[in-house]
Amino acid sequence: MRQTARLGRLAGIPIGVHWSVFVIMLLLVQGLASVILPGGARGYATAVYWGVAVVVAALFLAALLAHELGHALVARHYGVRVRGITLWMLGGMSELDGEPPHARADLLIALAGPVVSLAGAGVFAAGAAVASASGAGPLAVTGLAWLAVVNGILGVFNLLPGAPLDGGRVLAAVLWWVWRDRAAARRAAGRVGMVLGALLITAGLLELLLAANLSGLWLMVLGWFVASAARAEATDVMLRKTLAGVRVGDVMTAPAACGYSSQSVADFVATVARRHPHRIFPVLDLDGRLVGLVSLTRLAKVSSTDRERTRLADVSAPVDRTRVLDPAVPLMDAAPAVLAGRLVPVVANGRLTGVVTPGDVARANELAQLGITPDRGGGDAATSGTYAPANRHE
């Protein structure tokens, strides 16, 4: 999941938020200020409710971050690199680069988040008790009590035994220890997650239809997310099994259709874009070095009258914002980046050697299921200079 905004670093881990966080925070502040806080503490001015609601919502966001930091710090303890943490509408996501070394590590990494949430629930509950005993006022007590309840729910819900929830990872770790087969354990947790997602969708639908409660919609959305993510995890397990030993260079599309930074948009559209099925294309300089990517969406924003004088360099995304792959990298290490986008350039010795698309990954998987190892002869990192240039314009 891409970060919309970076918040900085904690313990050396990049922290960011997805745009959906801003939506859910607005809804949360509105609900706190108009329903929850007035219901527990009457007689305050509207501005006071809104001010306290902002503080409570910020503390809730911090609690979500603490949950993910729990996962990340334990993962790092066991040698798993953490690329970053992203907060989004339904919680948070720790991006781990690598696999836990053994079932015990997998179990402790999975348990760390819920333990932090449940500990947070205890801290907020104690805070509410202290606030009540010291006469701090019903508004503070209500806010702290709400945080205690929500963190408790977060911790318990995440322990439900189905991927992608933490409980699903706990289940996978336990099955891994019992069966000594991590792939089988993850597949089982994925199947349980799909069942759990279906049950949540059904419960939400019944709540919506029988009780006429719109909160059933949130339960349905949550169930859809759980089922979809569980299915994605099951697919990932299958890919890891079938694509073991396959490298990026074995499946990449080469030569790659591309353009040049000095080429006009009009010429590129006429000679390259219209003749190839991609929606994103690499852009090279005149020495053949990758300088960026250009999409059909960006090209469409250039008016027809400006396309002759607009160069690809003017509309392409710079290379420092572009994920590139080495042809010798295992395909499964690169698959998440490819499947999350539409096209990833493959570069060796500073030169574009090809591109990898989701279709290339799907084809490799289908061939592997046929017992065929895909091989386009590009796995050697020494391969370079393989691309299909458009017309050069000096």
Side-chain angles (χ1 to χ4, degrees), residues 7-34:
L7 300 181
R9 288 176 176 267
L10 276 176
I13 301 171
I15 310 296
V17 296
H18 186 255
W19 62 265
S20 59
V21 165
F22 302 110
V23 176
I24 200 66
M25 289 298 286
L26 284 173
L27 293 173
L28 186 57
V29 169
Q30 192 273 336
L32 284 164
S34 60

Short mmCIF file of all heavy atoms in Angstrom, two decimals, residues 7-34:
data_model
loop_
_atom_site.label_atom_id
_atom_site.label_comp_id
_atom_site.label_asym_id
_atom_site.label_seq_id
_atom_site.Cartn_x
_atom_site.Cartn_y
_atom_site.Cartn_z
N LEU A 7 5.26 10.65 7.74
CA LEU A 7 5.22 11.29 9.05
C LEU A 7 6.59 11.38 9.69
O LEU A 7 6.77 12.06 10.70
CB LEU A 7 4.27 10.53 9.98
CG LEU A 7 2.81 10.41 9.53
CD1 LEU A 7 2.00 9.66 10.57
CD2 LEU A 7 2.21 11.79 9.28
N GLY A 8 7.57 10.67 9.13
CA GLY A 8 8.92 10.67 9.69
C GLY A 8 9.37 9.25 10.00
O GLY A 8 8.92 8.29 9.37
N ARG A 9 10.25 9.11 11.00
CA ARG A 9 10.78 7.80 11.37
C ARG A 9 10.66 7.60 12.88
O ARG A 9 10.83 8.54 13.65
CB ARG A 9 12.25 7.67 10.97
CG ARG A 9 12.47 7.53 9.46
CD ARG A 9 13.95 7.49 9.13
NE ARG A 9 14.16 7.26 7.72
CZ ARG A 9 14.36 6.07 7.17
NH1 ARG A 9 14.39 4.98 7.96
NH2 ARG A 9 14.54 5.93 5.88
N LEU A 10 10.41 6.36 13.28
CA LEU A 10 10.42 5.96 14.68
C LEU A 10 11.30 4.71 14.78
O LEU A 10 11.05 3.73 14.06
CB LEU A 10 9.02 5.65 15.18
CG LEU A 10 8.17 6.84 15.66
CD1 LEU A 10 6.78 6.35 16.04
CD2 LEU A 10 8.82 7.55 16.83
N ALA A 11 12.31 4.78 15.64
CA ALA A 11 13.27 3.67 15.78
C ALA A 11 13.87 3.30 14.43
O ALA A 11 14.16 2.13 14.16
CB ALA A 11 12.58 2.46 16.41
N GLY A 12 14.04 4.33 13.58
CA GLY A 12 14.63 4.10 12.27
C GLY A 12 13.68 3.55 11.23
O GLY A 12 14.08 3.27 10.10
N ILE A 13 12.40 3.38 11.57
CA ILE A 13 11.41 2.80 10.66
C ILE A 13 10.60 3.93 10.02
O ILE A 13 10.01 4.74 10.74
CB ILE A 13 10.48 1.84 11.41
CG1 ILE A 13 11.29 0.71 12.05
CG2 ILE A 13 9.42 1.28 10.47
CD1 ILE A 13 10.47 -0.16 12.99
N PRO A 14 10.53 4.01 8.69
CA PRO A 14 9.72 5.04 8.03
C PRO A 14 8.24 4.86 8.36
O PRO A 14 7.70 3.76 8.24
CB PRO A 14 9.98 4.82 6.53
CG PRO A 14 11.25 4.03 6.47
CD PRO A 14 11.26 3.18 7.71
N ILE A 15 7.60 5.96 8.76
CA ILE A 15 6.18 5.94 9.11
C ILE A 15 5.42 6.83 8.14
O ILE A 15 5.84 7.95 7.85
CB ILE A 15 5.95 6.45 10.55
CG1 ILE A 15 6.87 5.74 11.54
CG2 ILE A 15 4.49 6.29 10.94
CD1 ILE A 15 6.64 4.27 11.68
N GLY A 16 4.29 6.34 7.64
CA GLY A 16 3.48 7.13 6.73
C GLY A 16 2.01 6.79 6.87
O GLY A 16 1.63 5.85 7.58
N VAL A 17 1.18 7.56 6.17
CA VAL A 17 -0.26 7.33 6.20
C VAL A 17 -0.80 7.26 4.78
O VAL A 17 -0.30 7.92 3.87
CB VAL A 17 -1.01 8.42 6.99
CG1 VAL A 17 -0.62 8.40 8.44
CG2 VAL A 17 -0.77 9.80 6.39
N HIS A 18 -1.81 6.44 4.60
CA HIS A 18 -2.57 6.39 3.36
C HIS A 18 -3.67 7.45 3.44
O HIS A 18 -4.12 7.81 4.54
CB HIS A 18 -3.18 4.99 3.21
CG HIS A 18 -3.88 4.76 1.92
ND1 HIS A 18 -5.25 4.73 1.81
CD2 HIS A 18 -3.41 4.54 0.67
CE1 HIS A 18 -5.59 4.49 0.56
NE2 HIS A 18 -4.50 4.37 -0.16
N TRP A 19 -4.12 7.93 2.31
CA TRP A 19 -5.12 9.01 2.30
C TRP A 19 -6.41 8.62 3.04
O TRP A 19 -7.11 9.48 3.59
CB TRP A 19 -5.47 9.42 0.87
CG TRP A 19 -6.08 8.34 0.03
CD1 TRP A 19 -5.46 7.50 -0.84
CD2 TRP A 19 -7.48 7.96 0.00
NE1 TRP A 19 -6.35 6.63 -1.41
CE2 TRP A 19 -7.60 6.89 -0.92
CE3 TRP A 19 -8.61 8.42 0.64
CZ2 TRP A 19 -8.82 6.28 -1.20
CZ3 TRP A 19 -9.84 7.81 0.37
CH2 TRP A 19 -9.93 6.77 -0.55
N SER A 20 -6.72 7.32 3.07
CA SER A 20 -7.95 6.87 3.73
C SER A 20 -7.95 7.18 5.23
O SER A 20 -9.01 7.25 5.84
CB SER A 20 -8.17 5.38 3.49
OG SER A 20 -7.08 4.63 4.00
N VAL A 21 -6.75 7.35 5.82
CA VAL A 21 -6.68 7.69 7.25
C VAL A 21 -7.37 9.02 7.52
O VAL A 21 -8.06 9.19 8.53
CB VAL A 21 -5.21 7.75 7.71
CG1 VAL A 21 -5.08 8.45 9.06
CG2 VAL A 21 -4.64 6.34 7.82
N PHE A 22 -7.19 9.98 6.61
CA PHE A 22 -7.79 11.29 6.82
C PHE A 22 -9.32 11.20 6.80
O PHE A 22 -10.01 11.89 7.56
CB PHE A 22 -7.30 12.28 5.76
CG PHE A 22 -5.80 12.43 5.74
CD1 PHE A 22 -5.04 11.93 4.71
CD2 PHE A 22 -5.15 13.07 6.79
CE1 PHE A 22 -3.66 12.07 4.70
CE2 PHE A 22 -3.77 13.21 6.80
CZ PHE A 22 -3.02 12.70 5.76
N VAL A 23 -9.85 10.33 5.95
CA VAL A 23 -11.30 10.14 5.87
C VAL A 23 -11.82 9.54 7.17
O VAL A 23 -12.78 10.04 7.77
CB VAL A 23 -11.67 9.24 4.68
CG1 VAL A 23 -13.18 8.98 4.66
CG2 VAL A 23 -11.24 9.89 3.37
N ILE A 24 -11.18 8.46 7.63
CA ILE A 24 -11.67 7.78 8.83
C ILE A 24 -11.49 8.66 10.06
O ILE A 24 -12.30 8.63 10.99
CB ILE A 24 -10.98 6.41 9.00
CG1 ILE A 24 -11.81 5.52 9.93
CG2 ILE A 24 -9.57 6.55 9.53
CD1 ILE A 24 -13.14 5.12 9.39
N MET A 25 -10.43 9.47 10.09
CA MET A 25 -10.22 10.36 11.23
C MET A 25 -11.29 11.44 11.30
O MET A 25 -11.77 11.79 12.38
CB MET A 25 -8.83 10.99 11.15
CG MET A 25 -7.69 10.03 11.42
SD MET A 25 -7.75 9.32 13.09
CE MET A 25 -7.20 10.72 14.05
N LEU A 26 -11.70 11.96 10.15
CA LEU A 26 -12.78 12.95 10.13
C LEU A 26 -14.08 12.33 10.66
O LEU A 26 -14.80 12.95 11.46
CB LEU A 26 -12.98 13.49 8.71
CG LEU A 26 -11.95 14.49 8.21
CD1 LEU A 26 -12.18 14.80 6.73
CD2 LEU A 26 -12.01 15.78 9.03
N LEU A 27 -14.37 11.11 10.19
CA LEU A 27 -15.58 10.43 10.65
C LEU A 27 -15.50 10.12 12.15
O LEU A 27 -16.49 10.25 12.88
CB LEU A 27 -15.78 9.13 9.87
CG LEU A 27 -16.10 9.28 8.37
CD1 LEU A 27 -16.10 7.92 7.70
CD2 LEU A 27 -17.42 10.00 8.16
N LEU A 28 -14.31 9.75 12.60
CA LEU A 28 -14.13 9.43 14.01
C LEU A 28 -14.30 10.66 14.90
O LEU A 28 -14.99 10.62 15.92
CB LEU A 28 -12.74 8.83 14.21
CG LEU A 28 -12.40 8.29 15.60
CD1 LEU A 28 -13.42 7.24 16.03
CD2 LEU A 28 -10.99 7.71 15.60
N VAL A 29 -13.69 11.76 14.49
CA VAL A 29 -13.82 13.01 15.25
C VAL A 29 -15.27 13.45 15.30
O VAL A 29 -15.78 13.87 16.36
CB VAL A 29 -12.92 14.11 14.64
CG1 VAL A 29 -13.25 15.47 15.26
CG2 VAL A 29 -11.45 13.78 14.87
N GLN A 30 -15.95 13.34 14.16
CA GLN A 30 -17.36 13.74 14.11
C GLN A 30 -18.21 12.89 15.05
O GLN A 30 -19.06 13.39 15.79
CB GLN A 30 -17.87 13.63 12.67
CG GLN A 30 -19.22 14.29 12.42
CD GLN A 30 -20.39 13.36 12.73
OE1 GLN A 30 -20.24 12.14 12.70
NE2 GLN A 30 -21.56 13.94 13.03
N GLY A 31 -17.97 11.56 15.04
CA GLY A 31 -18.73 10.68 15.91
C GLY A 31 -18.45 10.91 17.39
O GLY A 31 -19.36 10.89 18.22
N LEU A 32 -17.18 11.16 17.72
CA LEU A 32 -16.83 11.44 19.10
C LEU A 32 -17.46 12.75 19.58
O LEU A 32 -18.02 12.82 20.68
CB LEU A 32 -15.30 11.51 19.24
CG LEU A 32 -14.55 10.18 19.24
CD1 LEU A 32 -13.06 10.41 18.99
CD2 LEU A 32 -14.76 9.44 20.56
N ALA A 33 -17.35 13.79 18.75
CA ALA A 33 -17.80 15.12 19.16
C ALA A 33 -19.32 15.24 19.22
O ALA A 33 -19.86 16.00 20.04
CB ALA A 33 -17.24 16.18 18.21
N SER A 34 -20.03 14.47 18.39
CA SER A 34 -21.49 14.64 18.32
C SER A 34 -22.27 13.57 19.07
O SER A 34 -23.44 13.79 19.41
CB SER A 34 -21.94 14.66 16.85
OG SER A 34 -21.58 13.45 16.20
#
